[in-house]
Amino acid sequence: MLAMTHAGESVALKYIPGEQIATGHLEGMRCPEINGVRLDGSSKKLSDYSGNYVLIDFWGTWCAPCIAEIPAMKALRDKMNGQPLKIVSVALVIDGDLNNLRQFIKKEGMNWEHFWDVGADKNGFIQRLRIIGYPSYILISPEGEILLRSEPGKNGIKQVEEKLAKLW
């Protein structure tokens, strides 16, 4: 709000908080709405998880550091059991072989929600959230705010655990 005296001698600015925060891909911004494709071909919106913390795990079967973090992801899943946290993995599928991806997920016991992305879809998870390295993690608040973006390949699960420890 801008207020000016009658004669124009002074100007006062007053912050009026709004309900909306900027939408984007950085920490502190509201996560954009994304309609992802699950492994069975159905779609689901990111907003379907509202009311929960959401951890998005960006990975691929071709990514050795991603594979190395699967045990830590499973341990986090077990540790957070009963908490309002949904884990969502988004696999970058380079070769288009979803059967291989499904078999890998089953073999590794990754029993949480999975989406796939080809990386080039401007409306997909990877492009909308500007993922540039793997593995990467994004933690979203129940209100949709991006609380954490891990640095690719740098103990991402540890960064997530530290952030979650501050929340609970």
Side-chain angles (χ1 to χ4, degrees):
M1 180 172 122
L2 178 64
M4 191 176 289
T5 63
H6 177 66
E9 303 95 34
S10 64
V11 174
L13 298 175
K14 179 180 178 186
Y15 173 72
I16 302 174
E19 292 295 318
Q20 298 296 321
I21 59 173
T23 299
H25 64 280
L26 302 173
E27 287 181 19
M29 293 182 156
R30 182 168 307 284
C31 188
E33 179 64 277
I34 300 170
N35 195 17
V37 181
R38 296 190 286 190
L39 294 182
D40 64 4
S42 65
S43 62
K44 188 168 186 173
K45 295 184 290 189
L46 196 53
S47 62
D48 291 339
Y49 299 103
S50 65
N52 292 287
Y53 289 90
V54 179
L55 174 60
I56 308 175
D57 160 37
F58 293 91
W59 74 292
T61 58
W62 45 266
C63 169
C66 299
I67 305 307
E69 289 220 338
I70 291 172
M73 179 67 90
K74 289 165 53 175
L76 178 67
R77 173 206 58 202
D78 295 344
K79 181 179 178 181
M80 293 296 147
N81 188 28
Q83 297 290 347
L85 174 69
K86 301 294 182 189
I87 298 174
V88 176
S89 286
V90 179
L92 174 59
V93 180
I94 297 172
D95 61 5
D97 188 352
L98 292 182
N99 286 328
N100 182 41
L101 178 61
R102 286 184 196 103
Q103 289 172 4
F104 185 91
I105 289 168
K106 184 177 181 179
K107 179 184 79 142
E108 292 295 325
M110 300 166 68
N111 59 346
W112 51 83
E113 188 95 50
H114 289 271
F115 292 82
W116 67 280
D117 197 323
V118 295
D121 179 1
K122 68 178 182 175
N123 294 314
F125 280 96
I126 294 168
Q127 291 291 320
R128 295 287 307 273
L129 293 172
R130 298 185 184 176
I131 301 304
I132 58 170
Y134 295 83
S136 288
Y137 304 94
I138 294 180
L139 181 63
I140 304 169
S141 76
E143 297 79 28
E145 179 184 348
I146 297 174
L147 299 174
L148 172 80
R149 280 187 69 102
S150 72
E151 293 183 43
K154 298 197 176 181
N155 298 318
I157 292 292
K158 184 109 174 119
Q159 293 174 46
V160 170
E161 287 176 335
E162 289 170 359
K163 187 67 170 185
L164 288 172
K166 292 177 185 174
L167 298 172
W168 283 304

